[in-house]
Amino acid sequence: MQTLVADLLAWFEKHAADLPWRRDRTPYAVWLSEIMLQQTQVATVIGYYERFLARFPTVEALAAAPLDEVLKLWEGLGYYSRARNLHRAARVVVEQYGGRFPGRAAELQTLPGVGRYTAGAIASLAFGEDVPVVDGNVIRVLARVFDIAEDVGQEATRKRLWTLAESLIPPGAAGQYNESLMELGRVICKPRQPECGVCPIQVHCAAYRLGVQEGRPVKAPRKPIPHYDVVAGVIHGRDGQQGRILIAQRPADGLLGGLWEFPGGKREPGESLPEALVRELREEMGVTVEVGAFLVKVRHAFTHFRITLHAFECWIAAGEPARIGVADFAWVTLDELDRYAFGKADQGIIAELRERPRRLL
DNA sequence: AATACGGGGAG
DNA sequence: CTCCCAGTATT
């Protein structure tokens, strides 16, 4: 009987999917793909990866670009701190490493946005260092093969998984081993209804032998997530800004950092939606608005909360826009909205504006 | 150790 | 609807 790792590698050699980032194992391409793949499925990443690499073929090109352009290419992919860190890291690589990525996991991990997983992936795949990776796939495969019954959310269990993954590395072939483990987790050893019948390492799997594969890995139950009502103003320009809308850029850090939005904010208890909008626009931009017609309602889910976004037409009754709680603002036409990166919820407002253009636009 | 951080795929 | 995804940074 072959060993677990030998069977795994033999399967991967025969069944590896043809993914764009498997054609270019340069450190830059591997790094980019691994950042995009954080908490994001392969199918979602492919288009973004190809567009991004076409626009920024080298780390120098990325480092030279304005952050706004990077965010625009990242628009819709989520976890925008990844894009901000990617841009920062590109500048570090160019300015401090002469454009060459460091070749060791320990040093790679000092780059912004590069944690232990990503450092291990770049070091093993692009540089051939014998270091492991532990992502959601690896956790699931190892928890099943070794029938790990402890909560994988616990730090002690994570440590055990890293040690286990490292102990299995075939000398000189960590990259192939790491990829094969992740591919098996994605294609065969899936979270629900794993395809044990065609699994190349079924005979090595303790959970399968015990019939508990659907119960591995063990995870603690999630906490309920809150819901908020959020208001947004589509503020029509007057006088010199006739035919334009006021949009604002969110602060660089935090939720949707650096993205643009229709300004507004969360409704407080006891407040009506128009009252909330008037308050938020005073607080964030220093303007007093007259709230007009309700425009559209957009429901959206984030990781830790859900929102219902209520958009209203507005006009400025007093004051001039100021950068108080926003990083920037701009008066733009409907066509010019395409140049700015927006979150998904605000794109629902844009879709409504394009579908039923207002007379005043 | 717990929480913040997006959006979409798939059952 | 729920769960989860080639995780990282912050507190």
Side-chain angles (χ1 to χ4, degrees):
Chain A
M1 181 170 118
Q2 289 281 351
T3 66
L4 160 69
V5 173
D7 285 338
L8 184 65
L9 291 174
W11 168 81
F12 184 62
E13 197 165 337
K14 202 170 173 186
H15 294 96
D18 179 26
L19 300 173
W21 42 89
R22 288 189 176 151
R23 301 178 171 212
D24 182 355
R25 304 272 70 170
T26 61
Y28 174 66
V30 172
W31 168 61
L32 175 64
S33 67
E34 293 299 342
I35 299 294
M36 286 188 164
L37 286 160
Q38 288 168 9
Q39 295 293 287
T40 311
Q41 295 184 179
V42 164
T44 304
V45 167
I46 292 175
Y48 282 91
Y49 174 80
E50 291 179 331
R51 285 191 296 277
F52 203 98
L53 214 47
R55 173 60 189 86
F56 302 122
T58 64
V59 67
E60 286 83 3
L62 176 55
L67 176 60
D68 284 343
E69 194 177 347
V70 178
L71 285 172
K72 181 63 189 175
L73 274 167
W74 208 270
E75 182 183 40
L77 197 56
Y79 284 149
Y80 298 92
S81 65
R82 291 184 296 174
R84 301 193 297 272
N85 284 332
L86 190 82
H87 189 242
R88 280 175 53 206
R91 296 191 163 175
V92 171
V93 169
V94 169
E95 290 164 16
Q96 296 183 26
Y97 291 96
R100 319 279 288 221
F101 280 81
R104 307 293 295 236
E107 200 165 356
L108 285 162
Q109 205 176 329
T110 68
L111 294 171
V114 178
R116 188 172 179 187
Y117 164 79
T118 305
I122 302 169
S124 64
L125 296 171
F127 292 105
E129 186 180 359
D130 279 343
V131 287
V133 297
V134 173
D135 71 335
N137 291 308
V138 175
I139 288 170
R140 191 167 55 253
V141 172
L142 295 181
R144 285 173 175 166
V145 171
F146 293 93
D147 188 33
I148 294 171
E150 297 123 52
D151 177 4
V152 297
Q154 292 300 304
E155 192 55 38
T157 315
R158 293 296 177 108
K159 188 169 165 55
R160 179 182 168 191
L161 287 162
W162 276 97
T163 302
L164 183 56
E166 184 174 30
S167 73
L168 297 171
I169 294 174
Q176 286 284 104
Y177 156 79
N178 286 335
E179 267 201 307
S180 67
L181 218 38
M182 293 190 283
E183 181 95 341
L184 187 81
R186 181 172 71 90
V187 178
I188 306 283
C189 197
K190 299 177 293 184
R192 277 171 294 192
Q193 299 177 32
E195 310 211 23
C196 302
V198 297
C199 180
I201 57 173
Q202 184 207 88
V203 298
H204 305 285
C205 186
Y208 177 77
R209 196 154 52 239
L210 298 166
V212 297
Q213 64 270 29
E214 295 262 22
R216 301 287 180 271
V218 173
K219 295 191 176 187
R222 301 191 176 191
K223 295 179 176 179
I225 64 176
H227 176 276
Y228 304 113
D229 283 298
V230 176
V231 289
V234 176
I235 304 175
H236 299 297
R238 287 171 165 164
D239 308 325
Q241 305 299 346
Q242 190 73 248
R244 294 174 181 274
I245 302 166
L246 182 63
I247 60 173
Q249 187 174 34
R250 299 175 60 87
D253 294 314
L255 185 74
L256 304 172
L259 268 62
W260 290 77
E261 66 176 1
F262 296 98
K266 198 188 304 181
R267 174 169 69 161
E268 301 289 348
E271 233 175 11
S272 72
L273 293 171
E275 285 167 354
L277 190 49
V278 169
R279 176 182 53 75
E280 287 285 350
L281 290 171
R282 277 193 185 128
E283 289 175 1
E284 288 190 1
M285 307 197 71
V287 295
T288 302
V289 295
E290 175 191 337
V291 179
F294 166 78
L295 232 42
V296 66
K297 177 166 67 175
V298 181
R299 291 164 26 138
H300 187 67
F302 292 87
T303 307
H304 290 283
F305 59 94
R306 298 173 199 282
I307 64 166
T308 302
L309 177 62
H310 309 264
F312 291 85
E313 288 188 292
C314 297
W315 292 266
I316 293 179
E320 289 292 326
R323 296 172 188 81
I324 301 171
V326 300
D328 200 2
F329 66 83
W331 289 100
V332 300
T333 66
L334 212 43
D335 288 336
E336 288 168 350
L337 285 174
D338 286 334
R339 303 179 197 171
Y340 300 83
F342 285 83
K344 188 63 171 47
D346 279 47
Q347 286 177 30
I349 298 176
I350 295 175
E352 170 64 21
L353 292 175
R354 296 222 159 113
E355 211 167 310
R356 284 190 276 284
R358 267 44 194 193
R359 186 166 50 80
L360 287 166
L361 296 184

